[in-house]
Amino acid sequence: RGIAEAFAAADAHVVIAARDEARLAATAASIAAHGGSVRWLRTDVTELAQVEALVAFAEREFGPVDVMAAIAGGGCSYQPFDAMAPEAFDATFRTNVTSAYFAARAVMPTFRARQRGSVIVCTGGGAFYPVLEAPMLAYACAKAALTRFVDQL
């Protein structure tokens, strides 16, 4: 929410996306109440077709995308790796890493055609430093993978 509010405060047109429509509507209302230009679209960022539809929506509403903030995250299960369900490990990667890949993939044709554009991601200390006080295997691995993804982007 903070990133969207900061861009709107800087007079950018903002499109926000998430699965929770109530949070989207509340965020959009807050941005609009402060004079910001905002639209929202319910989107599951772990589904490529929905991310592509989001980018198409943004371009219809405001024109070419300049910045994509791919900041979906979370999924810490705080379980030892052998107690974590494989589905939980996969879901954490899809939320933290695959979603960023889908976001970058969806905007890259526009970025290349215009020879400019930025993708913002959030990694964090779990990508760089051992987190020994809590079992965060999937989350720490996902953030490290996201950091390497940005290197390769």
Side-chain angles (χ1 to χ4, degrees):
R1 181 176 179 154
I3 291 172
E5 290 172 339
F7 272 96
D11 293 325
H13 298 295
V14 176
V15 175
I16 55 175
R19 292 178 290 203
D20 186 332
E21 289 187 27
R23 287 180 68 187
L24 286 168
T27 299
S30 174
I31 290 170
H34 291 92
S37 175
V38 63
R39 304 286 186 279
W40 63 270
L41 184 66
R42 186 194 179 285
T43 307
D44 181 344
V45 295
T46 67
E47 298 295 332
L48 177 58
Q50 290 189 39
V51 177
E52 290 172 336
L54 171 66
V55 172
F57 172 76
E59 290 179 341
R60 279 192 311 275
E61 293 294 313
F62 295 127
V65 174
D66 294 309
V67 177
M68 170 63 86
I71 56 169
C76 250
S77 68
Y78 299 106
Q79 296 176 317
F81 82 95
D82 55 346
M84 180 187 304
E87 298 82 10
F89 188 90
D90 184 58
T92 300
F93 257 75
R94 287 189 62 76
T95 300
N96 289 276
V97 182
T98 306
S99 65
Y101 165 73
F102 288 165
R105 180 184 169 101
V107 296
M108 199 55 63
T110 297
F111 287 3
R112 283 200 173 119
R114 299 176 71 215
Q115 298 184 351
R116 64 187 172 106
S118 298
V119 177
I120 298 170
V121 301
C122 295
T123 58
F128 303 103
Y129 308 105
V131 182
L132 303 176
E133 66 276 359
M136 299 172 56
L137 175 75
Y139 183 76
C141 288
K143 292 305 184 179
L146 185 58
T147 300
R148 300 292 69 88
F149 168 75
V150 171
D151 290 345
Q152 296 299 308
L153 199 62

